[in-house]
Amino acid sequence: MGQFPHDWEAHIKSVTARSYNMVHFTPMMERGESNSPYSISNQLKFDPGSFPNGEKDISSLVRLMEEKYGLLSLTDVVWNHTSNSSIWLEDHPEAGYNLETAPWLESALELDTALLAFSNALETYNLPTAIESPEDLKTLINGIKTHVLEQLRIWEYYVMDVKRDARTITDAWLRREKTSLDVQGATSWPLKRKSEFLRENGLVGYESLGPRFQRTLDPRVGATLLFGIYGEPDIEHAGAFNEASALKTCCEVLDELNLPNYREYDGDVSEILTQLYSRIKYLRLDDHGPKLGPITVKNPLIETYFTRLPKNARTARHDPRSLALVNNGWIWNADALVDHAGSTSKAYLRREVIVWMDCVKLRYGDGPESNPYLWDHMTQYSRLTAKYFSGFRIDNCHTTPIVAAEYFLDQARQVRPDLYVCAELFTGSEPTDYVFVERLGLSSLVREAMQAWSVEELSRQVHRHGGRPIGSFEIDEAASSATISSKDGAAGQNGFSTSAEAVHQIQQANVHAMFMDCTHDNQPPAQKRDARDTLPNAALIAMCACATGSVMGYDEIFPAYLDLVNETRQYASAFSDPNGGADGIAKIKKILNEIHIDAGQAGFEETFIDHQGQFITVHRLHPKSRKGYFLVAHTAFPDSGDSGNYLGPTHLKGTRARSLGSWQLQVDDSEETKRKVLGDASRLRGLPSRIIDLDTAELTTTESETIISFSTQLPRGSIALFETWIPIVDENEDIDLFAVNGAQEAFRNVNLLDLNFILYRCEPEERDVSDGRDGVYDLPGYGPLVYAGLQGWISVLNPIIKNNDLGHTLCQHLRDGHWALDFIVHRMDQLAVRFPYLGLREPTKWLQLRFGVIRQLPNFLLPRYFALVVQGAFNAAWARGLSLMEQNIRTGQPFLQRLAMVSVQQTGYMRSASLYPTQSVPCLAAGLPHFSSSWARCWGRDVFISLRGLFLSTGRYDEAKAHILAFASVLKHGMIPNLLSDGKAPRYNARDAIWFFLQALQDYTVMAPSGLDILKERVKRRFLPNDDTWFEFDDPRAYSKSSTVAEIVQEAVQRHAHGIQYEEANAGPDLDMQMKPDGFFVSASVDWESGILFGGNQSNCGTWQDKMGESARAGSKGIPGTPRDGAAIEITGLLYSTLVWLTKLQRQGVYSHNGVSTSRAEEGFVSFADWSLRIKRNFESCYYIPQTPDDDHSFDVNPCIINRRGIYKDLYRSGKEYEDYQLRANFPIAMAVAPDLFDPERALSALQMADDILRGKTGMATLDPSDMNYRPYYNNSEDSTDFATSKGRNYHQGPEWLWPTGYFLRALLYFDLKRRRTEEGRTESFQHITRRLEGCKRAILESPWAGLTELTNKNGEYCADSSPTQAWSAGCLIDLFHDASQWTNR
């Protein structure tokens, strides 16, 4: 640069004339004896050779750059080492690694010193002093083995001193010192086992490679082994013989223990020799190495790993061991987060470090307290540098302790808060790069195009740093563009705020780059590739959407790499010196830099890179306006020949283009010219060159595209640059906004049943509504979507958008054609004219209009705008759905809203399923797609377990009432059917369904407006009241009678009080091909002593755990997996809840009955209050299993059967006694509906056990894992001979079901809150519940079905046979939120 300020301004002017905006300076501090700017001798003083006035000159320089030329300044900071000639090291040798601060380096120093001595004594050993062949090198390596390694006895650093340690151990034994370690049977242990005992328990000094024989053994542990072998030492009788035997044994065991240490030593010596051979070969023999010549005292055989401080008055104050300081360097593929001079590393001993002999490695330790002077010194350096420079480049960041870099950057940012920080970071690991970027707050990492060894690699680098792909997605684009708003502030499915406030979700991105066309560390194109490649290489980097840069001399076509240490000539440039020589690429670089800056400031963030042969094309666009720049670059890599030098016509679909220019770089790079330029003794000049304007670009414009071609091929080393735009985007002021605008208005009149069609409909449902013509969309290369509605598309789009996965098969499908757009509009359009879907008209028009416009876009933009339209429609539909629900849902957290939308998902019109035989009524599916159509859709038990959550808590009272009345109409035998089958062929085989029905009815009367009025509703009866006669739905008797709901309730309770016993209508294989004859017999009766209801038999399964054995091969056909006969605990709880409710209603005067008559003469009439009291009085004694046997006498238990204590039985008096005592997840159901049956302390303890034993990631295990019947993997298609699992017989014997999780958490919340006495305690209760919902929150968010699955296998593992979204799985968790809100209100 010459002298400051006289020579510098011309160079600064040349920089700004080419439209650069920042200058990177190498370190400007005082240099050490090597003259390298990176070997700083005084970090607090600017280099007097360049800046005689010190800080004053630096201040003037920075002010000149900023105020006159608009340039910022950036400089290197070097924190990881200091010059070996730094005077301050003589006062503070503790700043480095020496034998006082790092005693583990003793062996490395001994080896380094011995190698230097060997180098000086080669003639004495008659060894070659000039390495002229591999044979000479091998001779020297053999000499190192003999004269260095064998003499040093390095193995002593690895092994234990056997004689010393054997004596110490024996003496400890004689003193009767020992540990409590178990050595029973040691007399018979083989030698290896004895050594392993000592290795596992007694090693000392192995944490680092310290002084010789540092490794030893805890004598007490060794003595313990001797006690195990010999017992107590018998000195009086055995004497010396006893002691000698012990010594001999110790020596044998220690020799065995030393074997791995010797192997470690052998391995390290082998590595030492390998490293020495490779390094010396590179330095003395290799053609690409420096070929240092003869070995002398000044040019020794090795590069020393240590700086030996001089002996003088300063250093005389220190321990001599502190005066040899380890030099810095780097290691191939080293872990950047590990200190390779630290106590756990042997890199300096193994000679793995490629060392810089002029740099002493600095020792920072864990923080300022580890080395106060050093931290203070480097803090002053960091603050001084930040005072003047706008940016830092961290030199060798990968070898700089990250804790030190963090600290110094914090200090620097206190001086300059907006400090720009980039780093030279080569960790070899992207995750490790991220660690540095995150912890240091790095703006960018230095990356270099000249590192590319081929056109392919250059293309990959440009692609990596070029920006986001064209047509990229943004996670929150639709939500923020549409400004979704509603009075109630409902949120979208992805948790987006629907207020005007835009919430931006950060997307994962590559680490930002400072992408250099060439750096000062590398050879320029004229030396490494071809001089002509200077122009295309620079143009490609300028087109990238990241920070870019160059090195002085690149634009001038310097012929060779500059030696920063030894170069004394001054720069010459056509911009800074009229006599400076060739033009180079400066005038084109100015154009490229201006485009780069303008595009960066305007937000041209998207690029498309294409590589064909020797050509690379880059199209860079603005993501909104779609204006852009298109570059064609013909590279000039060596040895490419004539192949790949032809570029066919380029078609820019839907795009217009205008040429900005085409240029070729011509360079005289002949050997003679290079020698002449390099031979200039005073000036650094570029090769003679010139830029040629080309006129070969031809643009052909059609209605649909622009074609770029060349009348004659672009020669190597040339570029063509174009400006582009997309007419259809220009015609629409903001096409992004247009894509989503008006969606709220279009969807404002749809109802929840419309939304069922708009958002969902699985394959059977879609076939149903289209008479079998249409199903869900089958995406080529992907498969069928889960829904035909918008959720089906969103489930595919969400991960695509999140990961910006433009290579996904959906994106390619959209680029290939408009089929997906046609499908969405067509399915809406064909129903929009039919009742009951007239509400679809406006959404259909909205979609047609948006898709009509985006069809005109270039196909590469279709994925983005398709996603925008679908997102806009989906979010509007979602927001509309929530707006039709209860306030708690509208303002609730996103998880609750996702659960609530399952009610929309599962409720809709079906031609093949209804609540009545002859009416089309929307009905609730049990789950999708398994239970979505025909007879399999509507299940009594599932409906009423789900009803409180999906209908009542969401405010869908009409739907709740419709289902209650429909099932009330089919009451028979005092039961409601499990399978409704439209009321045509209901099946009455569920003993629990009626009780879930009555619980749901109770909830309706409490939660629905004027809910009690439902008791007065008259219902036409499918069967005759109190008559078990079966007849078809079209029989005249069907629906000929009616009853009020209250009368139906009384009939159900009364029939159970009298006792129920019947054979199912139409019993036999046509009804159930798996069932044995006995299984068709259904019974229920009350034990009036306890008030408990019993029922079922071992051949049927009348509760929700209703899997029937189906395998003939396994012999399980007709044998239930879980018969659960007797008194199931949840039925007892539900019965009690009903009785208490009816008692309350009767006392309020809204229910005319106050009890039931019984079939037992001695009982007669029993009031509801009396019945419930009997249950409560006997419940704990019948169901609880006490924690200790001492309490067994108070409970009805058989101690011989008990597997686990402190729990509640699953059954009472079942057909197999051990099944009573099984721990299952059914007792929390009883707790949730009838908590006052339970002792609170016992209840909470039992819930804690269930939490520990049964609760999985999302569901509750259906059986205790300690039970012999536990089989947690469900596979319904398995047809094996395994009785327990064949044909899925273990459906409820271990797999984890989700719906019981809701009841479990409700019970846990109740009993935990019940014991709390403070606000803080209650908050803690809610926090406990929230933590246990984490798995379900993640599951519904990640599920393509947007619901919660029926069940999982063990520990939440995926179960292929599970229904992927189940009504009760979501409904029961909404129940939990409702309970929580009630507690909060209370």
Side-chain angles (χ1 to χ4, degrees):
M1 292 285 286
Q3 288 297 312
F4 180 83
H6 313 294
D7 302 322
W8 281 54
E9 186 168 0
H11 295 303
I12 292 169
K13 181 179 179 181
S14 79
V15 171
T16 195
R18 283 171 276 177
S19 293
Y20 292 101
N21 53 25
M22 179 179 268
V23 176
H24 164 217
F25 295 105
T26 56
M28 290 183 161
M29 299 339 231
E30 186 175 67
R31 303 183 183 189
E33 62 184 17
S34 71
N35 196 43
S36 168
Y38 293 93
S39 179
I40 301 172
S41 65
N42 187 346
Q43 287 77 10
L44 306 183
K45 182 179 179 183
F46 289 100
D47 186 38
S50 299
F51 309 103
N53 297 311
E55 281 193 60
K56 183 179 178 182
D57 284 348
I58 294 296
S59 178
S60 298
L61 169 63
V62 172
R63 189 166 58 251
L64 173 71
M65 292 173 61
E66 292 181 357
E67 296 177 1
K68 187 172 181 179
Y69 294 104
L71 290 171
L72 296 175
S73 57
L74 176 146
T75 189
D76 287 280
V77 285
V78 183
W79 288 318
N80 59 347
H81 57 244
T82 190
S83 170
N84 62 328
S85 59
S86 294
I87 296 299
W88 57 268
L89 283 176
E90 297 179 15
D91 294 320
H92 295 282
E94 78 280 0
Y97 293 81
N98 56 52
L99 297 193
E100 276 201 321
T101 60
W104 52 84
L105 292 172
E106 180 180 317
S107 54
L109 177 60
E110 283 201 19
L111 176 60
D112 192 74
T113 303
L115 287 170
L116 289 174
F118 172 75
S119 175
N120 294 335
L122 292 179
E123 291 183 353
T124 305
Y125 299 132
N126 293 319
L127 294 172
T129 57
I131 303 176
E132 298 175 351
S133 67
E135 286 70 27
D136 289 341
L137 179 53
K138 290 177 182 176
T139 299
L140 285 176
I141 294 298
N142 287 328
I144 290 172
K145 291 180 184 177
T146 302
H147 302 292
V148 178
L149 294 175
E150 291 180 9
Q151 303 303 315
L152 284 180
R153 298 168 63 89
I154 294 177
W155 53 267
E156 292 178 348
Y157 289 97
Y158 289 79
V159 302
M160 295 182 287
D161 186 331
V162 171
K163 291 184 178 179
R164 177 199 68 189
D165 293 345
R167 181 71 265 170
T168 304
I169 291 169
T170 302
D171 288 346
W173 175 62
L174 293 172
R175 292 193 300 271
R176 291 174 169 78
E177 297 175 1
K178 62 179 178 178
T179 69
S180 60
L181 293 168
D182 182 11
V183 288
Q184 187 175 0
T187 52
S188 60
W189 287 356
L191 185 61
K192 186 174 181 62
R193 174 70 186 89
K194 294 172 183 175
S195 71
E196 285 301 317
F197 170 81
L198 297 181
R199 183 180 307 284
E200 292 167 5
N201 300 292
L203 297 184
V204 176
Y206 278 70
E207 61 278 358
S208 63
L209 208 62
R212 296 175 188 270
F213 297 122
Q214 172 182 282
R215 292 181 173 180
T216 184
L217 197 74
D218 182 342
R220 294 174 68 250
V221 174
T224 301
L225 179 62
L226 290 181
F227 272 100
I229 298 171
Y230 295 105
E232 293 282 340
D234 189 358
I235 299 173
E236 182 177 345
H237 297 95
F241 174 77
N242 189 300
E243 182 178 339
S245 299
L247 269 172
K248 181 182 178 184
T249 296
C250 283
C251 290
E252 291 172 350
V253 176
L254 292 176
D255 281 337
E256 177 74 18
L257 196 57
N258 256 339
L259 287 178
N261 299 335
Y262 281 109
R263 284 195 288 270
E264 182 187 358
Y265 162 75
D266 290 340
D268 286 349
V269 166
S270 176
E271 184 63 21
I272 289 168
L273 294 171
T274 299
Q275 293 288 348
L276 286 170
Y277 181 91
S278 299
R279 189 62 183 167
I280 297 169
K281 179 174 177 290
Y282 167 74
L283 294 172
R284 309 279 176 174
L285 278 179
D286 287 350
D287 291 336
H288 61 281
K291 294 196 172 182
L292 295 180
I295 300 165
T296 65
V297 173
K298 291 186 177 180
N299 186 16
L301 176 65
I302 64 159
E303 300 155 301
T304 179
Y305 274 13
F306 290 84
T307 288
R308 281 92 176 162
L309 295 178
K311 295 181 180 179
N312 56 32
R314 271 193 162 111
T315 59
R317 295 180 289 113
H318 306 297
D319 188 319
R321 288 170 53 83
S322 70
L323 302 182
L325 303 175
V326 78
N327 291 329
N328 199 21
W330 61 285
I331 302 174
W332 282 105
N333 297 320
D335 186 338
L337 298 174
V338 173
D339 180 2
H340 54 254
S343 61
T344 60
S345 172
K346 294 184 288 184
Y348 281 88
L349 173 61
R350 287 160 57 95
R351 306 296 294 189
E352 294 171 325
V353 182
I354 299 171
V355 76
W356 303 311
M357 293 187 293
D358 61 342
C359 300
V360 169
K361 183 175 178 64
L362 296 175
R363 182 187 64 84
Y364 287 100
D366 298 326
E369 65 283 352
S370 300
N371 210 329
Y373 172 82
L374 175 62
W375 284 78
D376 179 66
H377 180 78
M378 301 307 273
T379 294
Q380 293 181 59
Y381 162 53
S382 303
R383 295 177 69 91
L384 175 63
T385 309
K387 179 179 178 181
Y388 294 106
F389 296 95
S390 300
F392 283 1
R393 173 188 178 272
I394 305 175
D395 179 62
N396 278 287
C397 187
H398 43 278
T399 62
T400 301
I402 197 167
V403 64
E406 276 182 310
Y407 183 86
F408 299 138
L409 282 174
D410 285 346
Q411 294 293 319
R413 285 170 174 141
Q414 290 179 19
V415 177
R416 188 180 293 270
D418 60 350
L419 186 72
Y420 178 88
V421 184
C422 62
E424 178 193 27
L425 182 68
F426 304 113
T427 68
S429 162
E430 190 164 294
T432 306
D433 285 351
Y434 279 121
V435 172
F436 278 86
V437 170
E438 182 181 39
R439 289 185 60 178
L440 302 185
L442 299 179
S443 307
S444 55
L445 301 182
V446 177
R447 296 294 181 254
E448 182 183 2
M450 287 308 299
Q451 294 283 2
W453 55 85
S454 65
V455 186
E456 292 82 2
E457 174 60 16
L458 179 59
S459 174
R460 187 195 69 79
Q461 289 192 16
V462 173
H463 183 272
R464 179 171 182 79
H465 305 304
R468 298 187 305 162
I470 288 179
S472 286
F473 304 98
E474 291 182 10
I475 291 178
D476 52 356
E477 196 160 32
S480 59
S481 296
T483 318
I484 299 171
S485 61
S486 62
K487 292 180 181 178
D488 50 54
Q493 186 206 21
N494 294 314
F496 304 136
S497 170
T498 55
S499 67
E501 180 183 78
V503 178
H504 295 280
Q505 297 193 20
I506 296 173
Q507 288 180 282
Q508 179 178 334
N510 293 329
V511 173
H512 294 181
M514 167 73 80
F515 197 17
M516 311 288 287
D517 50 29
C518 187
T519 69
H520 65 276
D521 287 326
N522 218 328
Q523 299 168 331
Q527 187 176 11
K528 192 170 185 178
R529 295 180 189 164
D530 183 308
R532 293 172 294 175
D533 198 55
T534 303
L535 178 59
N537 186 66
L540 288 166
I541 275 58
M543 289 292 286
C544 291
C546 64
T548 61
S550 190
V551 64
M552 192 72 170
Y554 180 91
D555 297 345
E556 291 80 3
I557 327 292
F558 276 18
Y561 163 78
L562 298 182
D563 183 349
L564 288 180
V565 177
N566 300 309
E567 185 59 72
T568 59
R569 295 173 292 173
Q570 293 183 16
Y571 291 121
S573 168
F575 271 91
S576 58
D577 182 355
N579 301 314
D583 288 336
I585 65 166
K587 71 174 186 179
I588 307 302
K589 197 60 167 293
K590 176 180 173 63
I591 295 172
L592 293 171
N593 282 341
E594 287 174 349
I595 288 176
H596 179 79
I597 292 170
D598 290 345
Q601 290 177 337
F604 286 57
E605 299 174 348
E606 297 186 353
T607 55
F608 178 75
I609 295 94
D610 187 36
H611 163 229
Q612 297 182 43
Q614 299 299 309
F615 288 87
I616 299 174
T617 62
V618 181
H619 198 180
R620 184 169 172 185
L621 292 182
H622 189 281
K624 304 290 185 184
S625 71
R626 295 297 158 190
K627 298 184 185 303
Y629 296 96
F630 185 78
L631 171 72
V632 179
H634 191 174
T635 62
F637 277 75
D639 304 323
S640 60
D642 296 327
S643 63
N645 290 312
Y646 171 77
L647 180 68
T650 299
H651 297 258
L652 300 179
K653 300 289 186 182
T655 302
R656 298 290 180 265
R658 178 176 68 87
S659 175
L660 297 177
S662 301
W663 304 276
Q664 177 191 4
L665 175 63
Q666 292 184 346
V667 185
D668 179 0
D669 59 350
S670 65
E671 292 302 318
E672 180 181 352
T673 301
K674 285 184 178 180
R675 282 194 296 272
K676 183 178 178 180
V677 171
L678 290 171
D680 190 323
S682 61
R683 311 292 281 174
L684 291 166
R685 296 190 291 114
L687 295 169
S689 60
R690 61 176 181 157
I691 294 290
I692 306 295
D693 288 322
L694 302 176
D695 189 22
T696 63
E698 295 182 345
L699 299 175
T700 304
T701 301
T702 70
E703 185 177 336
S704 61
E705 65 180 359
T706 294
I707 304 169
I708 299 175
S709 58
F710 298 93
S711 56
T712 57
Q713 278 297 310
L714 283 177
R716 299 176 71 194
S718 62
I719 64 171
L721 192 59
F722 305 87
E723 186 178 27
T724 67
W725 65 97
I726 297 175
I728 185 64
V729 178
D730 284 350
E731 294 167 11
N732 292 272
E733 186 174 338
D734 189 336
I735 196 167
D736 292 68
L737 184 58
F738 169 78
V740 295
N741 214 16
Q744 267 61 47
E745 185 71 16
F747 284 82
R748 69 175 181 173
N749 291 322
V750 298
N751 60 37
L752 293 176
L753 295 172
D754 294 329
L755 290 171
N756 171 257
F757 182 81
I758 292 169
L759 293 172
Y760 306 108
R761 309 294 282 190
C762 65
E763 173 74 12
E765 292 175 308
E766 194 72 2
R767 294 286 178 193
D768 181 278
V769 77
S770 65
D771 292 326
R773 293 188 306 273
D774 303 318
V776 298
Y777 196 81
D778 194 345
L779 179 61
Y782 180 88
L785 305 188
V786 297
Y787 296 116
L790 295 177
Q791 179 68 64
W793 298 98
I794 285 292
S795 292
V796 180
L797 283 169
N798 275 343
I800 294 174
I801 294 168
K802 180 180 179 181
N803 301 313
N804 201 26
D805 185 8
L806 286 165
H808 192 279
T809 184
L810 173 58
C811 297
Q812 186 57 48
H813 183 65
L814 291 165
R815 289 188 286 265
D816 289 342
H818 299 153
W819 307 288
L821 287 67
D822 295 337
F823 174 87
I824 291 173
V825 171
H826 173 71
R827 74 180 290 269
M828 297 272 287
D829 191 42
Q830 67 177 348
L831 277 189
V833 296
R834 290 165 42 185
F835 179 82
Y837 295 111
L838 299 180
L840 302 182
R841 289 177 179 176
E842 290 304 314
T844 303
K845 290 177 184 178
W846 185 89
L847 285 165
Q848 287 172 330
L849 181 59
R850 267 74 196 160
F851 283 155
V853 171
I854 71 170
R855 289 173 194 272
Q856 303 173 55
L857 290 169
N859 64 346
F860 59 82
L861 292 178
L862 271 175
R864 170 190 168 89
Y865 288 99
F866 173 83
L868 270 177
V869 172
V870 172
Q871 279 183 317
F874 178 85
N875 286 339
W878 187 273
R880 172 59 178 166
L882 295 177
S883 74
L884 295 172
M885 295 188 185
E886 273 287 292
Q887 178 72 11
N888 283 343
I889 303 297
R890 295 198 300 271
T891 59
Q893 58 177 269
F895 176 54
L896 174 59
Q897 293 175 340
R898 294 186 186 103
L899 294 171
M901 287 300 286
V902 173
S903 77
V904 180
Q905 176 193 106
Q906 302 278 347
T907 309
Y909 284 100
M910 292 288 291
R911 294 185 177 185
S912 64
S914 177
L915 296 177
Y916 296 97
T918 58
Q919 300 176 45
S920 180
V921 177
C923 55
L924 179 70
L928 306 178
H930 298 11
F931 311 106
S932 58
S933 62
S934 190
W935 62 268
R937 183 176 178 90
C938 206
W939 299 66
R941 177 190 298 121
D942 297 62
V943 163
F944 294 108
I945 289 175
S946 309
L947 187 136
R948 181 176 186 259
L950 293 186
F951 289 157
L952 296 178
S953 296
T954 60
R956 301 188 69 175
Y957 305 115
D958 290 344
E959 288 87 344
K961 181 177 180 180
H963 283 75
I964 291 171
L965 296 180
F967 275 88
S969 74
V970 291
L971 185 83
K972 187 172 186 283
H973 310 296
M975 305 267 207
I976 64 163
N978 197 23
L979 283 172
L980 179 62
S981 299
D982 305 337
K984 294 177 182 177
R987 185 178 181 191
Y988 298 85
N989 64 332
R991 290 184 290 110
D992 58 351
I994 182 60
W995 302 110
F996 283 113
F997 167 85
L998 291 172
Q999 183 65 41
L1001 175 59
Q1002 178 185 164
D1003 294 330
Y1004 180 91
T1005 63
V1006 173
M1007 296 171 65
S1010 303
L1012 286 171
D1013 290 348
I1014 196 174
L1015 297 173
K1016 304 172 187 175
E1017 290 273 348
R1018 295 205 69 81
V1019 178
K1020 289 188 176 182
R1021 302 288 294 271
R1022 164 71 174 83
F1023 297 101
L1024 299 176
N1026 292 298
D1027 188 330
D1028 290 350
T1029 306
W1030 170 271
F1031 41 82
E1032 297 296 333
F1033 75 96
D1034 53 0
D1035 186 285
R1037 291 170 290 179
Y1039 301 106
S1040 62
K1041 302 292 184 181
S1042 65
S1043 306
T1044 64
V1045 171
E1047 290 169 346
I1048 291 171
V1049 171
Q1050 185 63 23
E1051 181 179 340
V1053 180
Q1054 182 60 66
R1055 288 296 302 269
H1056 281 80
H1058 268 283
I1060 296 171
Q1061 187 163 351
Y1062 62 90
E1063 182 183 32
E1064 288 189 70
N1066 305 309
D1070 290 341
L1071 179 63
D1072 190 329
M1073 62 185 300
Q1074 312 300 341
M1075 189 84 79
K1076 290 182 176 180
D1078 289 351
F1080 292 108
F1081 284 91
V1082 179
S1083 64
S1085 61
V1086 177
D1087 170 20
W1088 290 108
E1089 295 298 321
S1090 64
I1092 293 174
L1093 179 66
F1094 292 80
N1097 62 57
Q1098 285 284 301
S1099 294
N1100 60 28
C1101 33
T1103 72
W1104 77 273
Q1105 295 183 328
D1106 56 357
K1107 182 64 177 180
M1108 180 59 70
E1110 301 176 19
S1111 175
R1113 289 188 64 195
S1116 65
K1117 192 176 179 70
I1119 303 175
T1122 44
R1124 300 193 74 228
D1125 57 324
I1129 190 169
E1130 73 274 20
I1131 293 179
T1132 303
L1134 289 162
L1135 168 61
Y1136 177 82
S1137 174
T1138 298
L1139 296 172
V1140 171
W1141 171 57
L1142 293 178
T1143 300
K1144 181 178 179 182
L1145 292 182
Q1146 192 273 330
R1147 289 173 179 171
Q1148 291 175 346
V1150 295
Y1151 190 75
S1152 59
H1153 302 277
N1154 70 342
V1156 292
S1157 61
T1158 71
S1159 58
R1160 293 174 59 183
E1162 62 272 25
E1163 293 291 346
F1165 180 84
V1166 177
S1167 70
F1168 297 134
D1170 183 19
W1171 191 355
S1172 64
L1173 184 61
R1174 297 185 193 196
I1175 295 174
K1176 185 173 184 178
R1177 195 166 47 231
N1178 291 282
F1179 182 82
E1180 286 276 333
S1181 64
C1182 292
Y1183 283 99
Y1184 187 65
I1185 304 172
Q1187 292 184 346
T1188 64
D1190 293 343
D1191 295 327
D1192 285 354
H1193 64 278
S1194 300
F1195 300 89
D1196 188 358
V1197 295
N1198 180 353
C1200 299
I1201 304 295
I1202 293 174
N1203 177 47
R1204 195 183 292 276
R1205 289 183 173 274
I1207 66 171
Y1208 285 89
K1209 298 175 189 174
D1210 184 58
L1211 305 167
Y1212 183 54
R1213 296 182 183 175
S1214 68
K1216 290 194 286 286
E1217 188 180 9
Y1218 75 86
E1219 291 182 345
D1220 288 13
Y1221 294 83
Q1222 290 177 319
L1223 173 60
R1224 296 185 185 270
N1226 295 311
F1227 72 91
I1229 302 172
M1231 286 184 174
V1233 298
D1236 55 325
L1237 281 178
F1238 294 81
D1239 175 272
E1241 186 175 332
R1242 292 172 188 160
L1244 197 56
S1245 176
L1247 287 166
Q1248 182 61 57
M1249 293 184 70
D1251 192 51
D1252 296 337
I1253 298 165
L1254 299 181
R1255 187 173 62 85
K1257 291 182 178 178
T1258 54
M1260 300 293 290
T1262 41
L1263 184 60
D1264 186 342
S1266 71
D1267 195 288
M1268 64 179 182
N1269 291 299
Y1270 177 71
R1271 303 290 190 281
Y1273 293 94
Y1274 173 61
N1275 180 0
N1276 195 52
S1277 61
E1278 174 198 333
D1279 191 7
S1280 68
T1281 57
D1282 189 326
F1283 182 83
T1285 62
S1286 184
K1287 303 294 285 184
R1289 187 174 177 271
N1290 61 315
Y1291 199 28
H1292 305 99
Q1293 295 282 59
E1296 296 166 6
W1297 285 67
L1298 271 75
W1299 76 267
T1301 300
Y1303 278 101
F1304 166 74
L1305 293 177
R1306 288 174 64 191
L1308 182 61
L1309 179 65
Y1310 177 91
F1311 285 105
D1312 196 30
L1313 282 172
K1314 194 174 180 65
R1315 70 188 177 98
R1316 304 289 184 169
R1317 294 294 178 266
T1318 66
E1319 189 62 34
E1320 293 78 9
R1322 287 187 285 272
T1323 298
E1324 186 178 12
S1325 289
F1326 285 115
Q1327 290 172 341
H1328 283 313
I1329 301 302
T1330 299
R1331 281 196 296 270
R1332 287 160 174 79
L1333 286 172
E1334 184 59 35
C1336 292
K1337 290 181 178 180
R1338 187 179 299 111
I1340 198 169
L1341 193 61
E1342 295 175 353
S1343 169
W1345 293 85
L1348 292 175
T1349 188
E1350 176 188 20
L1351 62 102
T1352 70
N1353 288 330
K1354 183 179 181 180
N1355 293 327
E1357 294 178 37
Y1358 173 72
C1359 177
D1361 285 328
S1362 171
S1363 178
T1365 176
Q1366 199 81 346
W1368 57 15
S1369 297
C1372 290
L1373 287 179
I1374 300 175
D1375 287 341
L1376 169 66
F1377 279 88
H1378 180 80
D1379 283 5
S1381 71
Q1382 296 301 303
W1383 274 101
T1384 304
N1385 294 337
R1386 209 173 302 164

